[in-house]
Amino acid sequence: MTDSARPARKTSSFAAMLRHLREARSLTQQELAAAGLSVDAVSALERGRRTQPQPHTVRSLASALQLRDADRMALLSTLGRAGDGALEMPPRTLTPHRPSPPAVPVFGRDDEAAEIVAALRTTPGRLVTLTGPGGVGKTTVALVAAEMLAADHPGGVYFADLTDVTDPDDAVAVMARAAGSHADTVTGLAAHLAGASVLLVLDNLERVTACGPQLVELLTASPGAVILATSRVPLRVRREREVRIAPLGPAAAVRLFNERLAAAGVPPPTGSEDDDAVAQLCRRVDGLPLAIELLAATAARLGPRALLTWVDQLPDLPVAGPRDLPARQRTIAATVEWSCRMLGPAARRLLPRLAVVPGSFSLDTVDAIAAPDATGAAGALAELIEHSLVTRGDDAGLVGRFRLLEPVRQYALKTLEPADRKQVRRGVARWALRAAREQGARIRGHGDMTAVEQVEVDRHVLRLGFDQLVDDHRHDDAAELLWSVWLPLWMTGHTHEGLAWTGRLHEDALSERAKARWLVARAGFNRVAADLFVTAERAMRLAERIDDASLAAEAAIFASAAALRLGDFDGSEALLARAEAHMKTRLDVERDVWAAVHVPIGRGDGALLRGDRSAAARYWRAAVATAQELGSGFSVAAVLAECAQAARGEGRLDDAAVMLAVAGELAPQRDGHRLGAHLAGVASAVAADLGDVASARWWEGVARSAAPVDTDELGERFRELVRHADTVSVRRQEP
C-alpha cells in the first residue's frame, strides 16, 4: 500500500485516539504503562487531564502500541504537532546479522540449496520463492541457503515470519520490523534499506501472496535488496523464480529418521528387520520431513516395527510432536488442514475425492473422479497443484500423471463423505471398464505395446474399478474388464495379482460369454499345467459354443501350452492348429494379432522342449515376421522374456537362457530401455540361480543403468549365459 492510500484517522482529541488505539490492541492501562510510564500518567492522558505530553512520552506510547506511520502521524496531529521532527520515531540502524540455523540437522538438501544460491545470485528479478507441500522443509532449506549467502550481503540477512499475517498490507510492516524499522509502507522500508545489500528471508507467505506486487515495488526501489520467500503457493509475479522443494530421497529420509531417534535417546536400528522397518516408514510417508519427524517421535516409544503396523492410520497416530513447532505442524492433519483452508470450494471438494485413488492418476481419470462436476475439474486440479497438495507423478509416455503425497491422501480420505466415496468409486469403475476395453483392443488387435505400459501404470486404478464392479454385482462387466487386461498383467509379471482378481468372481454368477472370458483370464494366470489345461479346454469349448473365434483361439493357445508342459507334444500341435483355424476365421473380420503371433511362438516353445533350438529360433523369428506383415508393434521379445521367467520358475534354466538370448536378438529398438532392462533383470535372476554371482551382478548393473550397452557385448553375454546353463544342466543330469 502506498503512503497516500491509507485514510487518516479522524478523532476529536489525543485522549480519545490514545484510548481507541489501546483498546483496539486489547491492552489494559497497566500493560500500556509498561512502556515506561505510570498507570496514573496513562489514565491522565486518556482522560484529557494532560494535553501536552512530552516528545519522549509520545514516542514511548507509539512504540508500545506498535503504531504504523499513518496512525502515529494521526496521533501527533491531534496535538497540532504533526510536523514536529522531535516527535518522529528515531530510525534504527541496519545491524548485520544472520537468522538462527535450522533447529535439526539437515540431510539431502545440498543440491537444492546450491540451486537456490545460484538462482539468487543470477535471477534478474532478485526474488526466489520456495514452494512445496506443508512439512516438506521449505523453511529449513531457506535457512541453509541464507547461511550460504550471508557473505554476499554485508547489509545483513533478515528473517520475517509471516505465518500469522492475513492482511497483505501488514506484510510490509512485519518485514520492516525484522529489518529494524518502524516503517509500514514500501516507501518507508525502501528508505530504511537505501544503499544496503541485504537479503530478506520471508517465511510462510501463502496467506498473503497478494503482497507480491508490493515486493516487486520494494525491489525496484531497493537495488541492493534480494528476497528469498517460502510459500505453499507461488506469488505469481513476473520477477519471481519458483524453486519447488521435493520430499527427501530414501537415503536422506532414513538418516533424518535415525537422527531423530538418536535425539530422543534411542540408538539407531542395528538389525536388518528394524532397518527395513525404518525404510518402509519413510517410504510410506513419501519422504516428507515433517511426517518423518513425527513418526520418529512415536517410534522412539513404540519401536519402528510396531509403528509400521499402524502407519496406515497416520492422521490418527498418537504423535507427540515437538513443542517448538507451530501448532499447525504438530500433526500431519493440522499441516494439511492449514493448506486446505486456503482452497476454493471446487478444489476443496475435489481433494478428498482424488484421495480414493492410491498412486498416480491421469487427467482422464480426474474427470471420472470429479463427475458430475467434471466441467471444473481441470481448474480445481490446477489449484490443488499450485497449493502443493497434488504433485506431478512420473509421466507415462505423453500422458501426464499426478498424485497425492501419502500423508495428504490419508488425511483427505478421512474427510470424504460416504456418499461421495461411493459416487467416486462408481465413476472410477466406469472409467476402468472403458479404459480396459480400449487398451485390450489395442493390444489384441494391433499388438500395441504402449497399451501394455499404460495398463501397468493404471493397474491400481483398474483394480479399484474392478473391485467396485464386483461390489455392485456387475459381474459380467467385471469379467470383461479382467479379460481385457489379463494379457498386459501377465506380460508385466502380475500373475499372482491376476489370480486374486479372478478369485473375486464365481462362474455361477456369469453369463456364458462372461464365463468364457473369466476362464480364459484364469487360464492365462495359471502356472499349474494340469489346472491350466482343464481351465483352458473348458474355455475353448464354451467359446466355440457361443461362436466367439477370438476367445476360442486364445483358449486353444493356452491349452496347447499346458499340453506341452504335460509332455503331450502331438496334442499341443493339434490345439495350435485349432487356434490357427479360429484365428484365420477371426482375421477375416477383424485383426487379432495376439493369436496370429502366439501360434508360431507356441510352436517355438514346443521345438525348444524337444531340444531343437534352431527350430525354436526359426518359429520365433516367424512370429516377428507375422507381426511385421500385419503392421503390428507386437514385441515377441517381450513375450519371450516372460516365457523365460516362467521357465525359470519351472527350473528350466537352460530353456530360459535360450529364450533370453533370442529375445535379445529380436528386441526392436523402439521398445527402448525398458525392455532391455527387463531382459537384463531376468538374465540376472537366471545367472544367480546358476550360481554365477559375477554375471548376475553384471546383468543387474545393466538393468539399473540408463546408459546403452554395446550390442555385440550383450550378444556375447547372452551366449555365455546359455553355455553356463547348458553346463549346469548336464551336471544335474549326470548320475
Short mmCIF file of all heavy atoms in Angstrom, two decimals, residues 15 31 47 89 180 193 337 451 570 579 590 603 615 634 706 723:
data_model
loop_
_atom_site.label_atom_id
_atom_site.label_comp_id
_atom_site.label_asym_id
_atom_site.label_seq_id
_atom_site.Cartn_x
_atom_site.Cartn_y
_atom_site.Cartn_z
N ALA A 15 -6.60 12.30 23.67
CA ALA A 15 -7.08 11.38 24.70
C ALA A 15 -7.96 10.29 24.08
O ALA A 15 -7.80 9.09 24.35
CB ALA A 15 -7.83 12.13 25.78
N GLU A 31 -0.88 -2.53 31.16
CA GLU A 31 0.02 -3.09 30.14
C GLU A 31 0.66 -2.00 29.31
O GLU A 31 1.84 -2.07 28.95
CB GLU A 31 -0.75 -4.07 29.25
CG GLU A 31 -1.14 -5.36 29.97
CD GLU A 31 -2.12 -6.20 29.17
OE1 GLU A 31 -2.90 -5.63 28.37
OE2 GLU A 31 -2.11 -7.43 29.34
N ARG A 47 -7.88 10.64 29.97
CA ARG A 47 -9.00 11.45 30.48
C ARG A 47 -8.87 12.91 30.06
O ARG A 47 -9.74 13.73 30.35
CB ARG A 47 -9.04 11.35 32.01
CG ARG A 47 -9.52 9.97 32.48
CD ARG A 47 -9.09 9.65 33.88
NE ARG A 47 -9.56 10.66 34.82
CZ ARG A 47 -9.12 10.78 36.08
NH1 ARG A 47 -8.16 9.97 36.50
NH2 ARG A 47 -9.61 11.70 36.88
N MET A 89 9.74 9.02 15.25
CA MET A 89 10.42 7.87 15.85
C MET A 89 11.86 7.83 15.34
O MET A 89 12.10 7.98 14.14
CB MET A 89 9.71 6.57 15.47
CG MET A 89 8.25 6.53 15.90
SD MET A 89 8.03 6.82 17.65
CE MET A 89 8.92 5.44 18.33
N GLY A 180 14.52 -3.94 11.49
CA GLY A 180 14.83 -2.91 12.47
C GLY A 180 14.23 -1.56 12.15
O GLY A 180 14.78 -0.52 12.53
N LEU A 193 16.29 0.72 3.86
CA LEU A 193 17.27 -0.19 3.26
C LEU A 193 18.18 0.51 2.25
O LEU A 193 19.03 -0.15 1.65
CB LEU A 193 16.54 -1.34 2.54
CG LEU A 193 15.62 -2.22 3.39
CD1 LEU A 193 14.92 -3.25 2.50
CD2 LEU A 193 16.40 -2.92 4.50
N GLU A 337 -4.61 -29.54 6.95
CA GLU A 337 -5.78 -28.68 7.16
C GLU A 337 -5.43 -27.22 6.93
O GLU A 337 -6.22 -26.45 6.38
CB GLU A 337 -6.34 -28.88 8.56
CG GLU A 337 -7.63 -28.12 8.82
CD GLU A 337 -8.16 -28.34 10.22
OE1 GLU A 337 -7.56 -29.14 10.97
OE2 GLU A 337 -9.15 -27.71 10.57
N ALA A 451 0.20 -49.85 -25.05
CA ALA A 451 -1.01 -50.12 -24.26
C ALA A 451 -0.67 -51.02 -23.07
O ALA A 451 -1.28 -50.91 -22.00
CB ALA A 451 -2.08 -50.78 -25.13
N ASP A 570 2.03 -84.00 -29.44
CA ASP A 570 1.06 -84.10 -30.54
C ASP A 570 -0.22 -83.34 -30.20
O ASP A 570 -0.79 -82.63 -31.04
CB ASP A 570 0.73 -85.56 -30.83
CG ASP A 570 1.93 -86.32 -31.41
OD1 ASP A 570 2.83 -85.64 -31.95
OD2 ASP A 570 1.95 -87.56 -31.29
N ALA A 579 -6.25 -73.43 -32.92
CA ALA A 579 -6.19 -71.99 -32.68
C ALA A 579 -5.96 -71.23 -33.98
O ALA A 579 -6.56 -70.17 -34.21
CB ALA A 579 -5.08 -71.68 -31.68
N GLU A 590 -11.75 -59.17 -38.39
CA GLU A 590 -11.00 -58.15 -37.64
C GLU A 590 -9.66 -58.74 -37.25
O GLU A 590 -9.55 -59.92 -36.95
CB GLU A 590 -11.78 -57.77 -36.37
CG GLU A 590 -11.09 -56.70 -35.52
CD GLU A 590 -11.87 -56.43 -34.23
OE1 GLU A 590 -13.06 -56.80 -34.18
OE2 GLU A 590 -11.28 -55.87 -33.32
N ARG A 603 4.68 -72.85 -31.17
CA ARG A 603 5.43 -73.90 -31.89
C ARG A 603 6.92 -73.82 -31.56
O ARG A 603 7.60 -74.84 -31.47
CB ARG A 603 5.18 -73.77 -33.39
CG ARG A 603 3.77 -74.25 -33.76
CD ARG A 603 3.46 -74.11 -35.22
NE ARG A 603 2.19 -74.78 -35.54
CZ ARG A 603 1.29 -74.32 -36.41
NH1 ARG A 603 1.53 -73.18 -37.07
NH2 ARG A 603 0.18 -74.98 -36.62
N ALA A 615 15.15 -74.78 -34.56
CA ALA A 615 13.76 -74.69 -34.99
C ALA A 615 12.99 -73.69 -34.13
O ALA A 615 12.16 -72.92 -34.65
CB ALA A 615 13.10 -76.07 -34.92
N PHE A 634 3.68 -55.48 -32.08
CA PHE A 634 3.77 -56.53 -31.07
C PHE A 634 5.22 -56.94 -30.86
O PHE A 634 5.96 -57.18 -31.82
CB PHE A 634 2.94 -57.74 -31.50
CG PHE A 634 2.70 -58.73 -30.39
CD1 PHE A 634 1.57 -58.63 -29.62
CD2 PHE A 634 3.62 -59.72 -30.11
CE1 PHE A 634 1.33 -59.52 -28.58
CE2 PHE A 634 3.39 -60.62 -29.08
CZ PHE A 634 2.25 -60.51 -28.32
N ALA A 706 20.99 -46.46 -17.09
CA ALA A 706 20.27 -45.82 -18.19
C ALA A 706 21.14 -45.74 -19.44
O ALA A 706 20.67 -45.39 -20.52
CB ALA A 706 19.84 -44.41 -17.78
N ARG A 723 25.66 -71.03 -22.48
CA ARG A 723 26.70 -72.05 -22.28
C ARG A 723 26.76 -72.48 -20.80
O ARG A 723 26.86 -73.67 -20.50
CB ARG A 723 28.06 -71.51 -22.74
CG ARG A 723 28.19 -71.38 -24.24
CD ARG A 723 29.63 -71.16 -24.65
NE ARG A 723 30.15 -69.87 -24.17
CZ ARG A 723 30.08 -68.73 -24.86
NH1 ARG A 723 29.50 -68.72 -26.07
NH2 ARG A 723 30.58 -67.61 -24.37
#
